[in-house]
Structures are given as structure tokens and as C-alpha cells.
């Protein structure tokens, strides 16, 4: 048999990551300083880890309910009300998932019919496009630009909507740009969507990491609750990436469809992680405040340094990334990153990894100690100004 | 939070930060930060910049002891006079007034155990108003001033994740 003939054409149609070559070079270079990771440098706060350990000691090692431990869903519900003023019923509007990633996947599969168009503002996280394709949908990228602070503008949204549009992905605070959508920005988007049947998939995994302003969920705006699905999780806010725990909330009709997919594909999220997460929500507000303040200090330092060395860097006020422009160097993102790595042993991510509109930029994460950041920034400065 | 308090938090964590770095981190300018630091020093808020040293990794045989003292407070002066008499000795690193079963906690550093034992026996316990002493020699420092001494937590993140 020819093994290539058995591969699903849909799965085969997903292009491999365009920066695979760059990854290969990075992974061979052991002594590089990296500003390349998309996860906190903090270890999960000890009280949260201890709650996970305690649940193991007690023998809580079985499946939980498909939707997740009820206590956890209740805490998620309280948390969303406390922080963002939105109400979700823990019994039928919340599913605990394996990271935000699973939540994105089941949300898309729950609403997309063959040929449905999914609007994806770019640059953005890499999974929206492939998940759309795997669900049978058609990804429609919307370019956002540094001039607009990488916000989704009402004009760009209007221009992209067709009768086939089913879903709008709203990836803010944004990875990789650090861009945010504040309340007045969201109002303009909501005004357009209210007239349509478009569902919003609001990926709010970085909601806790905004600087100088509070995150607002589009679901809290009038007329948006019934058409919005919120994706969130514990990875970024509580430094819990390896625990693989997220959740999805939304209208109960959509949640019940997602639950079917989740139930057959996943069964339930890891129980240990769920017990740790209960502690995170009950006793973790101070941890978030502490980490946010640390990130904020680093953020200012990094933005200032990039601008001073001549790489224009817009004032990112969300997540833990900056997305400076490297257009002044005349290099492509890939070239820049490869040469920087070879020349100065600093790893950053080429902007085009996050969509074509990311070309001409690099993503640098500030999930590193000040010492590490300072050294890396000095080397980047040397690289472009030598 | 006031700027001075933010500066103190950063210095508390790492006093090697320069005013320029601190200014970038806090969105302020170098002059303002330098002036604020000078002001904090003048006011006696910022009293010093100590290094965290793991002496166990050096050839030094330095010994540390924590000594709990019970003291009769004096009329009009409470514990202050006795505390002052104790902290004037250079080998005394810290003196705290504490609640609980003891009154003063004294931290002493010496070149060896014997010198500390002698200081306690001859100087502290014979001091007027000192009722009793309990000496605890430090055998190992696990964590001090928020710093774990033998930290085996490594950054095991992948070089790049999206």
C-alpha cells in the first residue's frame, strides 16, 4: 500500500509551520538566550501546587464529571462575575477543558458547517486557522496594523463580512502583538455584530495581563452575551501552562453541543489540575497582582530599549509580548531572526509565524528575569547597530 | 503606590539595579529616580545595600547563632536600654524585640562556635536585667531574605513556544 494515500486530505491541507526551518536552527543551539517562549517564567505559586499534591494524597485520582468538578465550575462562575461582571451558570454554561486550546477546538467544531467563513484578525496565535480548517470552515484573515495598535477596526471587520461569515475570533489581549481592545473599541465591533448572526469566539486567555487598564469582555456589552463564547484558562494568569487547564463559557445551547464533542474526545480535564485550579481561583488574586506588576516593569524596560535602539515598538499593554518592527533593517523577519541567532545567540520569533501581516516584525517575550532581558537587549542592539 | 515605594520594592529585590534601569521599568526618568533614592537615604529609610552570600560555599568557617533572651524590662525604658547594650557589640548582626515566650532575639555571627558560646556565657547572660538565654546554632540556611540558597529549580521551558 502507499501510506501517503491514506492520509486525510483535509489534515494534509494544513500547511506545516512556515518557520519550521528557524525552529530547527534554534533547537540545535543550546547556549542561546531566548526571548522566544509563550509562557510565564514564574513557577506555579506554591499554595496552588500544594493543593494539587494534596488532592493526589487524598486519592482524588478518578474521572471528574465531563464538564469538570462542580466546585471548580462554581469558582469559575464567581471569578468571572467578580472580575469581569458577567454571569455564567456553573451547571450548564461552563466546561472545564484541556487548556484554552481544546476550548478553541470544540467551540469551532460546535458551530462551523462546511464552507462557513471564520474571521481571524492577524497577527494572532497560530491555532485558529488550522482549527477552522479541521472543522470544515474557511479561514478569512483580517489584517491589523501597528498604526491601529493592532486593534480590529470596525472598517476592516465590515469589509470582511459576507453572507457566509459564521464566526469572528477576537484574540485580545493579543499574542503576539500585545495589542488590546478596550471598551470603546469593543463597542464599535459590537454595533456591527448585533445586526448579524455572527458568533464571537473571544479568546481571553490573557485577560488578567493588561497594564494601566482593566480588561473588558465583549460578552459584557449589551446584546453580545447571547452570541459570545469566552475562552480562558489558568496557564497565563496563574503560571500553570503545564497543568493544561482551561475553560469555555457561553450560551447554554452552544455549551451543550461543545460538551458532546468534549465528552467523546477528552472525557474530562485532568483531575489533579482541577483541584489545584480551585485553590488558584480562591486564593490566587494576590499572585496575579504580583506577577502583573513584575511583567509591567519588564514591559516598560523592553519597549523603551527597543525604541532606543531604533526598532519601532508600539506601546503594547496586554499579554507578555512586544512586537517591534524590524522594517528599518531591510531584512525579512525570518532573515533577521536567523542572523540574530547566529550572530548574537539570541532567539526571538519571526513575526510571519503569526500570519502574513506579521512580516516585518519580531515577537519578543518578556517572561524572563531583568538580567536575562538586559543581556538579550544589549545583544540585539549590538546586532543592528554594529 | 508612590514612586518611592516602587523603587524600594525593586531595590529590596536587587540593589544592583541602576537608576537608569529602574527609571525604564517604572516609566520615570533617571534624574527623578536618582533624586528619590538620595532622598530615601537622607531620610534614613534606605539604610544600606547588603549582598546575599552563601558562606558555606567559601572557605570561611563563619558560624551564626540565634539567641533568645528573657529580659526584665526597666522602668521608663522598657527593653530599649538592654537592646542597645547588646547591639553595640559588633558581632551582633540583628536584635529584634519579639512577642511570645522570649523578649529579645539576637543574631550573632562568629568565627567559630566557641567564640559565640563564650560571648553568650560571659557577656550576654551576665548582663544586668538578662534573666535567661537560649542559643540556637544555625546548621544550614535554606532561605534568607526571599532567596533560596540551594535552588534546584531550573528554567526547563522550551527555547521557543508560540
Amino acid at each position: 500500500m502507499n501510506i501517503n494515500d491514506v492520509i486525510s486530505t483535509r489534515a494534509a491541507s494544513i500547511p506545516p509551520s512556515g518557520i519550521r526551518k528557524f525552529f530547527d536552527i534554534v533547537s540545535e543551539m543550546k547556549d542561546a538566550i531566548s526571548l522566544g517562549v509563550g509562557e510565564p517564567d514564574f513557577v506555579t505559586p506554591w499554595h496552588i501546587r500544594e493543593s494539587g499534591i494534596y488532592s493526589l494524597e487524598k486519592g482524588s485520582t478518578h474521572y471528574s464529571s465531563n464538564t469538570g468538578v462542580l466546585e471548580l465550575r462554581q469558582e469559575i462562575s464567581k471569578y468571572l462575575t467578580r472580575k469581569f461582571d458577567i454571569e455564567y451558570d456553573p451547571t450548564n454554561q461552563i466546561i472545564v477543558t484541556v487548556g484554552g486550546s481544546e476550548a478553541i477546538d470544540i467551540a469551532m467544531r460546535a458551530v462551523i458547517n462546511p464552507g462557513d467563513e471564520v474571521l481571524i484578525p492577524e497577527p494572532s496565535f497560530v491555532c485558529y486557522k488550522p482549527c477552522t480548517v479541521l472543522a470544515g470552515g474557511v479561514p478569512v484573515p483580517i489584517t491589523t496594523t501597528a498604526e491601529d495598535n493592532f486593534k480590529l477596526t470596525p472598517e476592516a471587520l465590515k469589509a470582511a463580512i459576507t453572507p457566509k461569515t459564521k464566526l469572528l475570533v477576537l484574540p485580545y489581549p493579543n499574542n503576539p502583538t500585545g495589542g488590546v481592545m478596550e471598551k470603546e473599541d469593543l463597542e464599535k465591533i459590537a454595533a456591527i455584530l448585533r445586526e448579524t448572526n455572527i458568533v464571537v469566539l473571544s479568546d481571553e486567555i490573557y485577560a488578567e495581563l493588561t497594564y494601566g487598564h482593566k480588561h473588558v469582555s465583549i460578552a459584557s456589552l449589551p446584546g453580545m452575551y447571547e452570541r459570545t463564547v469566552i475562552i480562558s484558562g489558568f496557564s497565563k494568569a496563574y503560571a500553570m501552562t503545564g497543568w493544561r487547564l482551561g475553560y469555555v463559557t457561553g450560551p447554554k445551547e452552544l455549551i451543550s453541543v461543545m460538551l458532546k464533542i468534549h465528552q467523546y474526545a477528552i472525557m474530562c480535564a485532568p483531575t489533579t489540575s482541577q483541584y489545584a485550579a480551585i485553590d488558584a481561583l480562591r486564593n490566587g488574586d494576590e499572585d496575579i497582582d504580583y506577577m502583573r506588576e513584575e511583567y509591567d516593569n519588564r514591559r516598560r524596560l523592553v519597549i523603551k530599549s527597543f525604541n532606543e535602539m531604533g526598532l519601532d515598538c508600539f506601546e503594547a499593554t496586554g499579554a507578555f509580548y512586544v512586537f517591534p518592527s524590524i522594517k528599518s533593517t531591510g531584512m525579512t523577519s525570518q532573515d533577521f531572526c536567523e542572523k540574530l541567532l547566529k550572530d548574537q545567540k539570541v532567539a526571538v520569533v519571526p513575526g510571519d509565524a503569526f500570519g502574513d501581516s506579521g512580516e516585518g516584525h519580531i515577537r519578543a517575550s518578556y517572561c524572563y528575569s531583568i538580567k536575562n532581558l538586559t543581556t538579550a537587549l544589549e545583544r540585539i542592539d549590538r546586532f543592528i547597530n554594529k | 503606590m508612590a514612586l518611592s515605594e516602587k523603587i524600594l520594592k525593586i531595590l529590596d529585590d536587587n540593589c544592583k539595579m541602576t537608576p537608569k534601569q529602574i527609571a525604564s521599568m517604572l516609566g520615570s526618568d533617571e534624574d527623578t529616580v536618582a533624586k528619590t533614592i538620595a532622598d530615601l537615604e537622607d531620610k534614613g529609610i534606605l539604610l544600606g545595600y547588603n549582598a546575599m552570600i552563601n558562606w558555606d560555599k567559601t572557605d570561611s568557617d563563619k558560624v551564626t547563632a540565634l539567641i533568645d533572651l528573657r529580659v526584665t524590662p526597666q522602668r521608663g525604658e522598657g527593653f530599649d536600654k538592654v537592646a542597645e547594650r547588646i547591639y553595640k557589640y559588633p558581632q551582633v548582626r540583628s536584635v529584634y524585640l519579639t512577642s511570645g515566650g522570649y523578649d529579645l532575639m539576637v543574631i550573632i555571627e562568629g568565627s567559630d562556635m566557641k567564640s559565640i558560646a563564650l560571648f553568650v556565657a560571659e557577656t550576654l547572660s551576665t548582663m544586668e536585667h538578662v534573666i535567661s538565654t537560649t542559643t540556637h546554632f544555625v546548621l544550614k540556611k535554606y532561605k534568607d531574605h526571599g532567596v533560596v540558597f540551594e535552588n534546584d529549580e531550573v528554567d526547563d521551558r522550551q527555547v521557543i513556544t508560540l
Side-chain angles (χ1 to χ4, degrees):
Chain A
M1 87 190 264
N2 184 350
I3 198 74
N4 287 315
D5 290 343
V6 305
I7 293 167
S8 133
T9 43
R10 183 178 281 170
S13 78
I14 298 172
S17 168
I19 58 166
R20 177 52 47 204
K21 188 175 138 219
F22 177 68
F23 281 169
D24 292 344
I25 306 170
V26 171
S27 56
E28 278 165 24
M29 211 171 277
K30 293 281 176 255
D31 53 346
I33 299 188
S34 174
L35 301 186
V37 302
E39 61 175 322
D41 54 321
F42 300 103
V43 179
T44 310
W46 177 242
H47 65 95
I48 300 174
R49 283 188 268 166
E50 213 180 20
S51 292
I53 296 167
Y54 181 62
S55 80
L56 287 174
E57 283 176 349
K58 267 200 320 191
S60 306
T61 59
H62 301 98
Y63 294 127
S64 72
S65 129
N66 292 130
T67 42
V69 175
L70 177 61
E71 232 180 318
L72 174 57
R73 281 177 282 134
Q74 284 165 340
E75 288 300 330
I76 292 170
S77 171
K78 279 191 227 163
Y79 164 88
L80 290 172
T81 308
R82 179 171 86 233
K83 296 262 183 165
F84 307 111
D85 202 22
I86 336 170
E87 308 262 342
Y88 287 102
D89 184 341
T91 63
N92 57 16
Q93 288 192 285
I94 300 174
I95 305 173
V96 179
T97 58
V98 179
S101 309
E102 188 220 315
I104 293 167
D105 184 38
I106 62 174
M108 286 192 165
R109 285 202 268 167
V111 298
I112 294 174
N113 282 319
D116 281 351
E117 291 178 354
V118 176
L119 306 181
I120 305 171
E122 285 187 345
S124 58
F125 184 51
V126 292
C127 86
Y128 306 122
K129 255 187 189 171
C131 282
T132 301
V133 172
L134 288 172
V138 180
V140 179
I142 303 179
T143 298
T144 64
T145 63
E147 291 73 56
D148 294 323
N149 291 346
F150 294 105
K151 291 175 194 290
L152 172 63
T153 62
E155 297 77 27
L157 173 63
K158 247 187 207 158
I161 292 176
T162 74
K164 286 186 181 164
T165 306
K166 171 61 77 64
L167 190 65
L168 166 68
V169 177
L170 203 58
Y172 294 95
N174 184 272
N175 168 14
T177 65
V180 296
M181 293 283 280
E182 293 191 65
K183 196 174 178 193
E184 61 269 26
D185 304 316
L186 294 171
E187 301 271 14
K188 293 176 203 155
I189 300 302
I192 298 170
L193 296 173
R194 272 187 215 109
E195 312 298 317
T196 68
N197 271 330
I198 298 172
V199 175
V200 180
L201 191 156
S202 189
D203 187 347
E204 303 182 20
I205 191 86
Y206 292 99
E208 286 285 4
L209 302 179
T210 57
Y211 311 100
H213 57 91
K214 240 185 123 240
H215 172 78
V216 174
S217 173
I218 195 164
S220 66
L221 302 187
M224 294 309 294
Y225 183 80
E226 63 261 33
R227 63 178 75 241
T228 302
V229 170
I230 297 179
I231 308 288
S232 194
F234 299 87
S235 296
K236 317 292 178 175
Y238 298 96
M240 292 179 71
T241 47
W243 299 78
R244 305 310 307 127
L245 207 69
Y247 53 88
V248 54
T249 67
K252 61 179 191 299
E253 297 78 5
L254 293 183
I255 291 294
S256 74
V257 180
M258 287 182 226
L259 180 58
K260 283 196 287 183
I261 307 169
H262 172 79
Q263 169 181 336
Y264 293 123
I266 302 288
M267 191 78 94
C268 70
T271 320
T272 312
S273 303
Q274 294 194 52
Y275 283 107
I278 293 172
D279 193 314
L281 291 170
R282 280 187 188 153
N283 306 308
D285 285 2
E286 278 179 24
D287 300 306
I288 296 177
D289 293 342
Y290 167 75
M291 290 190 267
R292 186 193 299 114
E293 203 185 312
E294 288 285 312
Y295 289 136
D296 197 12
N297 287 350
R298 302 171 189 181
R299 180 186 70 88
R300 292 197 201 94
L301 179 78
V302 170
I303 292 176
K304 189 153 188 251
S305 304
F306 273 119
N307 281 318
E308 277 174 1
M309 70 176 81
L311 296 183
D312 285 347
C313 186
F314 108 97
E315 180 79 26
T317 59
F320 37 54
Y321 310 102
V322 292
F323 204 58
S325 163
I326 49 133
K327 284 169 191 152
S328 60
T329 65
M331 286 183 250
T332 65
S333 307
Q334 297 248 12
D335 260 4
F336 183 96
C337 293
E338 276 178 42
K339 285 184 182 142
L340 174 64
L341 186 63
K342 283 181 185 154
D343 210 71
Q344 295 289 335
K345 299 198 169 174
V346 177
V348 293
V349 183
D352 62 337
F354 305 96
D356 295 340
S357 52
E359 178 53 66
H361 292 264
I362 54 168
R363 187 193 78 176
S365 153
Y366 45 87
C367 291
Y368 296 92
S369 68
I370 291 281
K371 194 176 158 197
N372 202 321
L373 288 170
T374 310
T375 315
L377 288 163
E378 278 166 12
R379 290 191 191 183
I380 298 174
D381 187 15
R382 216 177 302 152
F383 172 67
I384 57 168
N385 291 317
K386 69 182 169 190
Chain B
M1 206 190 303
L3 179 69
S4 57
E5 204 176 319
K6 287 183 184 169
I7 293 173
L8 287 173
K9 275 180 86 173
I10 290 173
L11 290 175
D12 190 26
D13 196 39
N14 180 359
C15 63
K16 277 178 78 184
M17 287 286 168
T18 63
K20 185 166 190 260
Q21 283 176 312
I22 296 172
S24 310
M25 287 164 71
L26 299 178
S28 180
D29 62 273
E30 197 175 342
D31 277 358
T32 311
V33 172
K35 264 188 209 130
T36 311
I37 291 175
D39 192 40
L40 288 165
E41 287 171 352
D42 289 346
K43 282 184 180 153
I45 295 171
L46 197 42
L47 293 166
Y49 304 86
N50 286 322
M52 289 294 307
I53 300 168
N54 185 353
W55 289 105
D56 289 349
K57 286 195 169 174
T58 69
D59 296 333
S60 158
D61 295 322
K62 213 183 260 270
V63 180
T64 307
L66 303 137
I67 299 152
D68 288 321
L69 296 185
R70 285 179 55 218
V71 176
T72 319
Q74 291 160 274
R75 192 185 182 121
E77 278 154 352
F79 296 97
D80 295 352
K81 207 76 202 167
V82 182
E84 186 183 336
R85 269 207 203 148
I86 294 170
Y87 69 61
K88 289 213 160 139
Y89 286 95
Q91 57 269 58
V92 172
R93 298 285 293 179
S94 316
V95 179
Y96 304 112
L97 179 64
T98 59
S99 63
Y102 298 95
D103 304 307
L104 295 178
M105 175 184 275
V106 177
I107 300 178
I108 294 185
E109 245 176 42
S111 52
D112 52 65
M113 282 201 187
K114 197 171 171 195
S115 70
I116 291 180
L118 281 177
F119 178 77
V120 174
E122 292 174 354
T123 310
L124 282 184
S125 50
T126 60
M127 203 176 272
E128 204 182 354
H129 308 300
V130 171
I131 304 165
S132 74
T133 67
T134 309
T135 305
H136 316 273
F137 283 104
V138 173
L139 304 180
K140 185 174 179 178
K141 258 192 201 177
Y142 292 99
K143 187 178 182 183
D144 198 1
H145 206 91
V147 177
V148 177
F149 272 50
E150 284 176 27
N151 202 343
D152 55 2
E153 276 177 3
V154 290
D155 187 349
D156 58 357
R157 291 177 294 169
Q158 309 287 306
V159 182
I160 286 206
T161 50
L162 295 176

